[in-house]
Amino acid sequence: MSTMMSTVEHEVPELREFLTEVATERTVPGTVGVVVLPDADEWAAPLVLAAAADCDSVHVFVTRSDEVQQVTTWIAHLPHADRIRVHAAHDLVAAMPSLTELKCLRSVLGPALGVTHVYVPAGIGPGWRRWLECGQADEPPINVVEVVLPQAGAPAESLMGV
């Protein structure tokens, strides 16, 4: 367990509760994907669909509290909905104001959930990619999967249509 994770876990009761809740999922073998959704806009759907098609289990972290139910409803209609858990990331992030969402994902949630893949829009900078893939010395590697998103104006499946 990384030093950051153990420190943050003890200091943040919301994180400790979350990790206890999902602890049983950590024992499920296979690939574990993560998608962080800052907005439930048109680019969210391709990320979630790609993760669900590739991974044995997927954690979708929704950062806007007013969109959690909308995303949950949309995901319930997907072919691999049983593999996907939606989490209200705003609760966790708000409890850890000193950590950015990606740092929380990489150093705290990733190791705790056994994350093997993180799904991001294509074109992520090489620095972010290297940091997500390598992490700290005591953190397992995470594969970054870049998903090509529809061009502006092109028809795209949207979470907003739910």
Side-chain angles (χ1 to χ4, degrees):
M1 179 187 303
S2 75
T3 304
M4 178 180 289
M5 181 179 147
S6 59
T7 302
V8 173
E9 183 180 354
H10 293 296
E11 294 174 359
V12 181
E14 293 86 351
L15 178 61
R16 192 171 43 253
E17 291 170 23
F18 173 79
L19 294 176
T20 300
E21 176 189 326
V22 297
T24 55
E25 294 179 28
R26 178 66 172 92
T27 61
V28 176
T31 55
V32 179
V34 166
V35 177
V36 177
L37 299 179
D39 291 298
D41 61 12
E42 64 275 356
W43 64 263
L47 294 174
V48 174
L49 291 169
D54 294 348
C55 296
D56 297 308
S57 63
V58 177
H59 295 276
V60 176
F61 290 93
V62 182
T63 61
R64 290 189 47 182
S65 60
D66 61 330
E67 293 183 346
V68 173
Q69 186 55 50
Q70 178 182 357
V71 172
T72 302
T73 300
W74 176 78
I75 285 174
H77 301 289
L78 293 180
H80 302 294
D82 60 324
R83 299 181 191 177
I84 305 170
R85 291 270 320 266
V86 177
H87 306 287
H90 60 280
D91 293 339
L92 297 175
V93 174
M96 298 178 279
S98 63
L99 295 179
T100 65
E101 291 163 20
L102 284 177
K103 191 167 189 174
C104 178
L105 166 65
R106 182 63 185 101
S107 298
V108 180
L109 299 175
L113 297 172
V115 173
T116 58
H117 295 76
V118 62
Y119 289 77
V120 299
I124 188 172
W128 282 108
R129 182 183 185 96
R130 189 172 38 257
W131 181 75
L132 282 167
E133 289 178 332
C134 301
Q136 302 297 315
D138 60 345
E139 297 169 345
I142 294 177
N143 297 308
V144 175
V145 179
E146 294 188 54
V147 178
V148 177
L149 303 178
Q151 296 297 319
E157 184 166 356
S158 173
L159 302 183
M160 299 307 279
V162 174

